[in-house]
Amino acid sequence: MSTLLTHIAISDGKIKRSSLEVLSRCQELANQNGHTSEAVIIDSNASDYMDEVQKYGASKIYLVEDPIFKNHINSPLLKALAKVMEASNPHVFAFASTEGTKDILGALAANQDAAVLSDVSEFDLIDGGISAKRPVMAAKILSSNEAKAEKILVSVRSGSYDLQENPTDAEVETIDFSFDESDLKLTLREIIGSSGDKIDLSEADTIVASGRGAKDEEGQKLVNELADLLNAGVGASRALTEAGIVDPSLQIGQTGKVVSPQLYFAIGISGAIQHVAGMANSKVIVAINKDPDAPIFEIADYGLVGDLYKILPPFIEELKKIKS
Amino acid sequence: MKFYVCIKQVPDVNAPIQIKEGELIQDTSRMILNAYDASAVEEALVLAEQHGGEVEVVSVGPSKVSETIRKALAMGADKAVHIQTSSDDEYDSATYADILAAYFKDKEYDVISCGKQSQDTDAGLAGSMLAEKLDLPYATNAVGLDIEDQKLVVKRQGDAGQEIIGLPTPCLVTCSNDMNDPRIPSLKGIMQSKKKPLETVELSELGIDESNLSSKTHVTGYQEKPEREAGKKYEGEPEEIAKQVAKLLDEEENVI
Ligand SMILES: Cc1cc2nc3c(=O)[nH]c(=O)nc-3n(C[C@H](O)[C@H](O)[C@H](O)COP(=O)(O)OP(=O)(O)OC[C@H]3O[C@@H](n4cnc5c(N)ncnc54)[C@H](O)[C@@H]3O)c2cc1C
């Protein structure tokens, strides 16, 4: 019997749904194979999130609470993760593939001499380790991978697994943690442009994303209007984040966020593979582009060919009617 | 300041890819400098121009990576190191980090930088692995770099927003390609690159026996992704097609 440990990511005072998806998957694998599923919450207010984690099944929840975790800083986080691994001794330690995870996964693997597979779209247990599929070559193809080691780390793309409630009466263990300021290898000076009040793209059901074709004020106004109407997250192609028109944290693609909403609007986006890498798993894709040969039409379920400035206003009007 | 930039040669993801019996068939004539690494080179060159210093690039791989090394030299790097491997096989990130850690163990430097991920595998692990192995403070996913009082000031993209981080040197940073447009080597740069020092290092010189290098993770095969079928294109009067699609999204797809 071995332990599957899940890291519960907190962002802007909320649990990231993607980490509950990972916990659901680990609980399922534990049930199927007679293993143990555990979870860890590392935060300045870790205990606040216990009840919600309990719903998704873990026989034990580790809490590491310290004011230092108010913001993401890699050196204390690595120290805490190493302590948790000592306490839990997991065979597999699973993470949601967030920016925070990407910042520490390699270092933790090196520190723990663990095998690691990042950004997988599915994983399973095999004899002595895990197998996993990863999108590679800008998500054009999938690679099958195996990791075999005593300790294995894995990070999972959001939307890879469904949430499954599985309430347990988990035992709670608080891990002693203190952080000496002198151990701090780096300093966090400032955080700018927090997207706290916006809808988290990696978890949104509907996303309205715009590209260079909608870069002026009028285009952005239409895009925001559509997003408000649908209570959607607003995303963008790199052309817009680079031009400083949209907050960089809202970039979707190989370099930005990987999203998997029910409905994705690509408005004035050409559909370069690096953008598609982040959104091809959306359930329904609607594209508006004036170029009938734009690559985005190769993956769009609904491709509207034409000028977005002419298409969006009547589209928004029609949606308003439907909504009312 | 002494900057080392770790660079990797990767297949161009825009080139056609074929999979035959689980093997990846790539057009090896289209090998390029990883775009994230190119941004790291560009940024190091700019910082060295502004604050004084030297930029040296390091790459691990078989003989063909020398073309990519030349590209970085043509961009303006002062020197290069080619850590030679005999096999063409891809190592996993940890193996690359091990080799680089062995190389840097007794080197002096202020900043080691690299791309935040490799364009082909998108693993994004080697940088922070190397930092941990060398016990360096580090920051990943940098979208802006500066130097202040011998400290590296990193603007990085995090989950909630951009974070400004101060890193004492020596340190390691991984770069996003969102931070700059890497320069295209000039003809003069290309000519000069041929005269610049390119040192080759054998793994045995680093105390590594290549036959003992074994990765903890393995790629066991490649598969096509289930193709997403192109849906329907709607052309014609904007008013008309807008109404038509809005209706379909509501009635057929149930997503409104
Ligand atoms: C290593 C690497 C990583 C990258 N990572 C990412 C990433 O994570 N995310 C990302 O998005 N990009 C990424 N890119 C960049 C990517 O290759 C493209 O350059 C970018 O996605 C293009 O953005 P765009 O489609 O908005 O702009 P463009 O390619 O300029 O396309 C604009 C589109 O708008 C259409 N248009 C213009 N006017 C109108 C109008 N009035 N009405 C309707 N349509 C109109 C045009 O026909 C065109 O198709 C990356 C690139 C590299 C090299």
Side-chain angles (χ1 to χ4, degrees), chain B:
Chain B
M1 280 207 157
K2 172 85 190 188
F3 297 90
Y4 273 106
V5 187
C6 306
I7 61 173
K8 188 182 172 192
Q9 187 180 57
V10 297
D12 184 351
V13 293
N14 288 301
I17 305 173
Q18 272 182 39
I19 297 166
K20 277 206 183 111
E21 286 157 20
E23 300 259 349
L24 200 59
I25 315 289
Q26 284 165 350
D27 183 354
T28 42
S29 65
R30 286 182 71 171
M31 298 296 280
I32 56 168
L33 169 59
N34 181 30
Y36 304 101
D37 300 351
S39 283
V41 172
E42 173 66 31
E43 208 61 20
L45 291 173
V46 169
L47 290 176
E49 280 155 18
Q50 286 171 351
H51 301 269
E54 188 187 55
V55 178
E56 183 158 355
V57 294
V58 184
S59 193
V60 179
S63 56
K64 66 176 196 277
V65 307
S66 59
E67 300 153 33
T68 295
I69 295 175
R70 287 286 171 207
K71 161 102 195 270
L73 289 172
M75 284 173 74
D78 301 290
K79 293 184 191 175
V81 181
H82 179 182
I83 304 173
Q84 287 187 311
T85 60
S86 56
S87 95
D88 248 347
D89 287 348
E90 271 276 321
Y91 294 127
D92 73 358
S93 313
T95 311
Y96 282 114
D98 277 337
I99 295 171
L100 288 166
Y103 175 75
F104 283 115
K105 202 175 56 197
D106 43 38
K107 292 282 175 300
E108 298 236 341
Y109 48 82
D110 297 290
V111 179
I112 298 176
S113 62
C114 57
K116 71 161 177 162
Q117 67 199 60
S118 171
Q119 256 173 293
D120 51 350
T121 67
D122 283 332
L125 297 164
S128 69
M129 281 177 162
L130 179 58
E132 177 68 21
K133 286 176 196 288
L134 296 171
D135 198 23
L136 294 174
Y138 73 91
T140 60
N141 202 4
V143 294
L145 290 183
D146 212 342
I147 291 172
E148 258 175 39
D149 309 326
Q150 297 292 302
K151 266 196 176 172
L152 195 65
V153 181
V154 182
K155 191 203 267 180
R156 74 175 294 273
Q157 184 62 50
D159 282 303
Q162 293 188 334
E163 296 153 7
I164 311 283
I165 288 172
L167 287 178
T169 54
C171 63
L172 185 144
V173 61
T174 80
C175 299
S176 169
N177 67 329
D178 299 342
M179 66 202 305
N180 56 37
D181 282 317
R183 65 194 70 182
I184 297 173
S186 64
L187 194 60
K188 191 168 156 230
I190 294 170
M191 298 308 290
Q192 282 175 341
S193 75
K194 302 202 167 109
K195 292 190 220 108
K196 288 184 177 169
L198 196 170
E199 182 194 354
T200 55
V201 174
E202 302 288 332
L203 289 177
S204 56
E205 294 172 56
L206 302 177
I208 295 171
D209 179 351
E210 192 164 6
S211 60
N212 284 343
L213 280 180
S214 69
S215 297
K216 287 197 180 77
T217 68
H218 297 275
V219 175
T220 54
Y222 292 92
Q223 296 136 296
E224 307 277 358
K225 284 223 307 195
E227 276 279 327
R228 224 194 141 97
E229 285 196 25
K232 199 170 163 211
K233 266 194 228 174
Y234 297 80
E235 296 180 72
E237 276 308 307
E239 295 258 347
E240 247 331 288
I241 60 174
K243 275 192 186 153
Q244 208 180 339
V245 171
K247 217 167 160 208
L248 286 168
L249 291 178
D250 180 39
E251 291 169 5
E252 299 288 317
E253 305 284 355
N254 253 319
V255 284
I256 296 301

Side-chain angles (χ1 to χ4, degrees), chain A residues 151-162:
Chain A
K151 298 178 201 171
I152 298 166
L153 311 183
V154 61
S155 71
V156 186
R157 293 183 151 215
S158 79
S160 299
Y161 291 101
D162 291 332

